[in-house]
């Protein structure tokens, strides 16, 4: 592992690190914020998964999360959204290929060789973090925005007992029934739609739900509402009597202005589950 940068922030350290990933068979970069408490004790972990076109850097610089995490004594992990590099398959469209890993393990060519973001986020990166940093991996929570909200919800429900809480900003909520989903799941996983179900938060909520609290914020003026289908997830949460809150925020769009406006709420929500 190589440390690319470290900056003092809110009494802690915001780092950027790179390493050779076996899962994705390329170099991967991630951001890690360690609060001041990490100098003395192992600290709980909040994952933040970003959306389409993003890298590790977008949320790290725009989400305004570090100050609230420092106050709560929580580390923040900002993974990249896909494998990258000259030898990694890509597409001319912004919503497929590099920057659009969709948090799945691809089984179809040309994506299968590198696009294993589920394995990377669920297995490889947690093992690296546990070995290299003072993190309490028994206390993890997960959050995400848009495609990252999809990833956060599906990982949380797909890995029971891993995360104590899950939240999302404007998640791609029902990808098996949306153009933001059918295109990517078909390309990465193939035409058999039965293999898609484990990557659809609405279907997973209907089937199993999440064994902890859920917080969803959706902008009421989001320009991508028809693609996100928040009403499907809200209905599934209500039908399941899922512990959680779904909030429609009047006037907010899909941008990081929306995310940063409610980040304090999300960090506090996770802090309650992680720290008490």
């Amino acid at each position: 592992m190589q440390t690319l940068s470290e900056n003092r922030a809110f009494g802690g350290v915001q780092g950027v690190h790179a390493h050779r990933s076996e899962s994705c068979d390329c170099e991967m970069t991630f951001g890690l914020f360690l609060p001041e408490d990490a100098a003395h004790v192992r600290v709980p972990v909040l994952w933040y998964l970003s959306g389409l076109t993003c890298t590790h850097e977008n949320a790290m610089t725009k989400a305004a999360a570090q100050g609230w995490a420092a106050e709560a004594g929580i580390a923040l992990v900002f993974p990249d959204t896909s494998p990258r590099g000259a030898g990694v398959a890509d597409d001319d469209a912004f919503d497929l290929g590099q920057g659009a890993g969709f948090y799945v393990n691809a089984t179809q060519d040309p994506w299968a060789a590198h696009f294993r973001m589920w394995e990377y986020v669920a297995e490889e990166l947690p093992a690296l973090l546990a070995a290299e940093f003072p993190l309490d991996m028994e206390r993890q929570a997960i959050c995400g925005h848009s495609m990252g909200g999809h990833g956060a919800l599906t990982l949380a429900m797909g890995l029971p007992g891993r995360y104590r809480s899950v939240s999302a900003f404007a998640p791609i909520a029902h990808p098996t029934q949306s153009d933001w989903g059918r295109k990517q799941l078909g390309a990465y996983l193939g035409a058999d739609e039965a293999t898609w179900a484990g990557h659809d938060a609405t279907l997973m909520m209907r089937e199993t739900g999440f064994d902890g609290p859920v917080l969803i914020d959706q902008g009421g003026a989001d320009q991508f509402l028809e693609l996100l289908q928040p009403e499907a997830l809200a209905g599934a949460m209500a039908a399941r009597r899922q512990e959680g809150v779904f909030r429609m925020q009047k006037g907010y769009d899909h941008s990081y202005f929306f995310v940063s406006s409610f980040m304090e709420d999300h960090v506090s929500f996770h802090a309650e589950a992680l720290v008490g």
Side-chain angles (χ1 to χ4, degrees):
M1 189 187 70
Q2 179 184 5
T3 297
L4 303 181
S5 65
E6 289 186 327
N7 296 95
R8 192 74 169 163
F10 298 99
V13 177
Q14 175 63 64
V16 177
H17 311 275
H19 70 109
R20 180 73 187 181
S21 167
E22 293 185 6
S23 301
C24 297
D25 193 23
C26 66
E27 184 173 271
M28 296 291 286
T29 303
F30 65 92
L32 175 66
F33 172 73
L34 291 173
E36 188 173 11
D37 292 356
H40 312 289
V41 297
R42 291 188 176 274
V43 294
V45 182
L46 174 57
W47 295 77
Y48 184 98
L49 305 186
S50 291
L52 290 167
T53 75
C54 291
T55 69
H56 69 281
E57 188 175 16
N58 294 71
M60 191 180 79
T61 58
K62 295 180 180 180
Q66 289 91 339
W68 307 117
E71 188 174 305
I74 294 172
L76 298 169
V77 183
F78 303 101
D80 202 346
T81 57
S82 79
R84 298 180 189 273
V88 176
D90 201 5
D91 191 270
D92 290 337
F94 77 94
D95 57 355
L96 190 68
Q98 295 186 37
F102 235 73
Y103 303 101
V104 302
N105 289 338
T107 59
Q108 306 299 303
D109 291 334
W111 314 107
H114 299 281
F115 281 73
R116 302 189 60 81
M117 288 302 295
W118 178 284
E119 180 181 329
Y120 178 71
V121 174
E123 299 177 19
E124 183 177 8
L125 188 52
L128 176 65
L129 294 172
E132 297 289 341
F133 299 100
L135 303 177
D136 182 357
M137 304 305 285
E138 295 300 313
R139 291 186 292 165
Q140 297 185 64
I142 193 166
C143 174
H145 172 228
S146 193
M147 179 185 73
H150 142 81
L153 289 164
T154 55
L155 280 156
M157 288 185 278
L159 299 169
R162 170 72 63 88
Y163 307 102
R164 295 192 180 185
S165 52
V166 59
S167 71
F169 298 91
I172 299 175
H174 200 10
T176 62
Q177 301 302 313
S178 168
D179 287 342
W180 269 3
R182 295 190 62 82
K183 173 182 178 179
Q184 293 86 354
L185 295 175
Y188 295 143
L189 302 180
D192 182 3
E193 295 188 19
T195 66
W196 301 2
H199 299 285
D200 185 308
T202 294
L203 298 181
M204 297 175 79
M205 182 61 69
R206 291 174 185 168
E207 183 68 23
T208 63
F210 175 63
D211 54 350
V214 178
L215 173 61
I216 308 293
D217 271 315
Q218 172 63 60
D222 193 314
Q223 59 271 44
F224 303 116
L225 278 173
E226 295 303 314
L227 293 167
L228 301 172
Q229 300 194 22
E231 67 281 358
L233 179 59
M237 289 175 64
R240 186 157 194 87
R241 276 61 167 182
Q242 171 67 47
E243 176 189 2
V245 177
F246 185 103
R247 308 190 301 191
M248 186 65 73
Q249 303 290 3
K250 183 178 180 180
Y252 284 88
D253 60 17
H254 198 72
S255 71
Y256 267 96
F257 295 108
F258 159 60
V259 172
S260 61
S261 295
F262 299 100
M263 181 56 73
E264 179 184 4
D265 290 355
H266 283 245
V267 175
S268 297
F269 165 76
H270 292 296
E272 178 64 26
L274 293 170
V275 182

